[in-house]
Amino acid sequence: MGSGVYSNIGVDAVPTRTPCMENRRDLGAGRHPERSMLGIADQTVGDACSALPISGNGGLCQNSGPLRQRVQFCFLPCQQSLCLGMDPRAYFVPPMGQHRLVDRIALGKPHRLVANQGRGAFSIGHRLWGLARLVDCWNFVGDISSFAEARCRIFHRSLISSAQTLTFAPHALDWFRAPVLRPDGRYHGQIIPRLHEPGSFSMAAYLCGGLLFSTAILHLVPEVLAYGHRTENLWLLSGFFLQFILEKFSAGIEHGHLHHEAQHQCDHPLHDENHPHNHPPKDHGATEPIHRLTRQKSVLWLKNARSWGLMISLSIHGLIEGIPYRDLKIPVALRYP
Amino acid sequence: MPLLLGIVLHKAPTTFALAALLLRQKASPLMLWGAVLWVACCTPLGLWIGHSLGQTGQDNQEILHALMALAIGSFLQIASTILFESSNNHKFNWLQMFGALLGAYLAYFMGH
């Protein structure tokens, strides 16, 4: 072994024989230098470092401080290479497709090194990869004393990741995103429940529910009961059940309910309702009122009793819920006697 | 102010759902906008009714208070429906908890 390894990695290192090398020779390191990483294949890094009899040229792996674990992680291949008589600063060439070691270190994630499988480890891609990682290693955590630089890079990564979160997270911008109607007719909105997750509401709905309930309990109910009529509580109860009945007519649209359509996600063209070879409507979800509403044709909209029931119930609902605003100018002493 | 915020926040998904329903049925734009405008005009109409009832004499006060009690009962039903139906299989939802408590906070500290 020897010269092949160093020329592949691209580091001019002077091979020095170490006692570890003789220990590892039975693992096939001498005969197959490209498989020399198999020696500490599946051990975790800490175990490997503690198990190794030699810790390099001292400066790299024996530092103390908060970066110790990470540095050990990073330089495990160096220790391996040291066992093989290589320069410990020569960087380990990981298999293609593995997670980028430096990035994982920068994100503070624990890293479990997997064995280099040997096959294709010395291809051109791996050489380039190894060179790039080498540069990263030297720039990044190669100098162990540059803890501040590593912290800066961690901060930078966290900034980037938070920006990515804001960009791609479905929840973060829910309030400001316009609802989208998909071309197949399914509704993909954020303010009303998202249909791909049935029953999930967004922040606006939660806030709305909390606001309405708290306002009613804290302010409106005491105010109404303080008027002193006998039948106010009866009207309160009847309003509750009136809304309960209206909800049956409007299929829960006044809460923004459309989530029963989530089960109707069949994209087959034959299941489209306006397809010329239309089959009779399927049975799934037929008991849901929203399905009974959505299954009808648009030409029948004005002739259908259900659509009229929907519109009338929505009108009554809207009329009723506008009424409590009339006392915006009532003095506070009258409001809370 | 919290009441207004709650009503507006709960009117928006109503209108979205109605428009989505009509669009799903491939309704004509005239029908769509007519329905949406009609539903949108209902709440100001109710406000005007309540206001004009409040401006008139004492005879109408009882009717007004009865209508207010009706409205408040429907508020309770709507809010409880929103809060309870949105809980997915009784799993603990931090967003829901935060939103509902924020609403309670606003309702308590911002007054009526």
Side-chain angles (χ1 to χ4, degrees):
Chain A
M1 64 167 293
S3 62
V5 178
Y6 310 125
S7 61
N8 276 316
I9 296 178
V11 170
D12 293 327
V14 182
T16 55
R17 291 180 72 84
T18 61
C20 186
M21 188 176 170
E22 278 84 13
N23 295 339
R24 297 280 167 180
R25 201 166 249 179
D26 50 351
L27 293 173
R31 280 170 295 167
H32 305 287
E34 71 274 10
R35 294 184 183 172
S36 56
M37 299 305 175
L38 284 175
I40 326 176
D42 266 335
Q43 292 178 0
T44 58
V45 181
D47 292 338
C49 284
S50 60
L52 279 175
I54 283 185
S55 60
N57 57 356
L60 286 177
C61 294
Q62 283 181 350
N63 74 318
S64 59
L67 258 186
R68 180 185 174 127
Q69 277 308 109
R70 291 176 186 168
V71 167
Q72 277 183 349
F73 282 15
C74 181
F75 283 95
L76 167 70
C78 304
Q79 289 208 348
Q80 284 177 334
S81 61
L82 189 82
C83 292
L84 299 170
M86 296 162 54
D87 189 345
R89 286 166 295 179
Y91 196 69
F92 164 63
V93 182
M96 290 293 271
Q98 198 177 354
H99 287 296
R100 297 203 304 166
L101 180 65
V102 179
D103 291 345
R104 290 188 67 83
I105 290 170
L107 291 173
K109 292 178 180 173
H111 189 69
R112 186 182 178 89
L113 285 178
V114 190
N116 191 350
Q117 297 302 319
R119 183 166 51 88
F122 297 111
S123 63
I124 294 177
H126 270 84
R127 289 184 192 198
L128 292 177
W129 206 97
L131 276 178
R133 290 311 102 191
L134 185 66
V135 171
D136 270 356
C137 186
W138 281 107
N139 283 340
F140 199 12
V141 278
D143 187 5
I144 299 166
S145 60
S146 66
F147 182 66
E149 185 195 353
R151 293 297 294 184
C152 285
R153 284 173 185 268
I154 289 169
F155 178 64
H156 183 62
R157 290 294 305 184
S158 68
L159 270 187
I160 289 177
S161 60
S162 61
Q164 285 170 351
T165 305
L166 274 183
T167 310
F168 297 113
H171 287 290
L173 298 175
D174 272 357
W175 284 23
F176 313 106
R177 196 174 293 161
V180 175
L181 190 78
R182 289 176 181 167
D184 56 353
R186 271 183 282 131
Y187 182 77
H188 180 79
Q190 302 296 329
I191 294 180
I192 77 167
R194 291 178 298 161
L195 297 184
H196 54 278
E197 298 172 9
S200 75
F201 273 50
S202 68
M203 188 66 185
Y206 300 140
L207 180 64
C208 163
L211 267 176
L212 279 181
F213 198 80
S214 311
T215 312
I217 290 293
L218 288 175
H219 304 296
L220 299 177
V221 170
E223 173 182 345
V224 159
L225 292 184
Y227 283 135
H229 306 293
R230 281 184 189 173
T231 53
E232 300 301 346
N233 42 9
L234 246 174
W235 281 113
L236 213 67
L237 199 64
S238 58
F240 190 91
F241 286 109
L242 171 70
Q243 188 55 44
F244 197 75
I245 293 168
L246 289 182
E247 189 189 0
K248 303 304 172 198
F249 281 101
S250 63
I253 269 188
E254 61 261 45
H255 323 122
H257 280 193
L258 272 182
H259 55 249
H260 298 306
E261 280 184 278
Q263 298 148 6
H264 195 70
Q265 284 184 349
C266 184
D267 288 327
H268 196 270
L270 286 183
H271 295 175
D272 192 7
E273 293 153 2
N274 293 66
H275 198 267
H277 312 291
N278 200 5
H279 298 286
K282 304 294 182 292
D283 266 345
H284 57 277
T287 56
E288 302 290 346
I290 193 73
H291 264 278
R292 281 188 258 118
L293 282 173
T294 53
R295 192 151 287 152
Q296 60 195 357
K297 295 288 179 59
S298 64
V299 284
L300 300 177
W301 168 257
L302 287 177
K303 299 178 183 174
N304 199 321
R306 280 201 193 93
S307 48
W308 280 104
L310 166 74
M311 289 309 292
I312 289 174
S313 66
L314 277 183
S315 309
I316 295 173
H317 166 74
L319 275 179
I320 283 178
E321 74 181 1
I323 286 176
Y325 285 117
R326 65 106 189 87
D327 58 353
L328 285 178
K329 288 179 289 240
I330 276 189
V332 184
L334 197 69
R335 269 195 245 158
Y336 314 110
Chain B
M1 186 62 190
L3 182 63
L4 182 67
L5 191 58
I7 292 296
V8 168
L9 279 182
H10 125 273
K11 273 305 189 188
T14 300
T15 316
F16 287 148
L18 180 67
L21 182 66
L22 285 173
L23 278 175
R24 183 183 167 80
Q25 293 166 350
K26 299 179 177 58
S28 66
L30 180 68
M31 199 183 300
L32 172 75
W33 283 104
V36 168
L37 277 179
W38 172 251
V39 171
C41 285
C42 278
T43 305
L45 198 63
L47 195 147
W48 178 74
I49 288 175
H51 186 76
S52 54
L53 271 180
Q55 294 300 103
T56 52
Q58 287 294 317
D59 299 337
N60 291 325
Q61 291 296 311
E62 195 163 348
I63 303 173
L64 177 65
H65 295 161
L67 283 177
M68 275 191 65
L70 209 67
I72 291 157
S74 65
F75 280 162
L76 284 176
Q77 203 270 343
I78 291 163
S80 56
T81 306
I82 289 173
L83 283 182
F84 294 144
E85 282 197 3
S86 59
S87 71
N88 196 0
N89 290 328
H90 300 278
K91 275 185 285 186
F92 194 81
N93 192 350
W94 280 108
L95 195 68
Q96 180 191 17
M97 191 60 63
F98 177 71
L101 288 181
L102 181 66
Y105 176 84
L106 288 179
Y108 185 71
F109 283 104
M110 288 173 68
H112 184 155

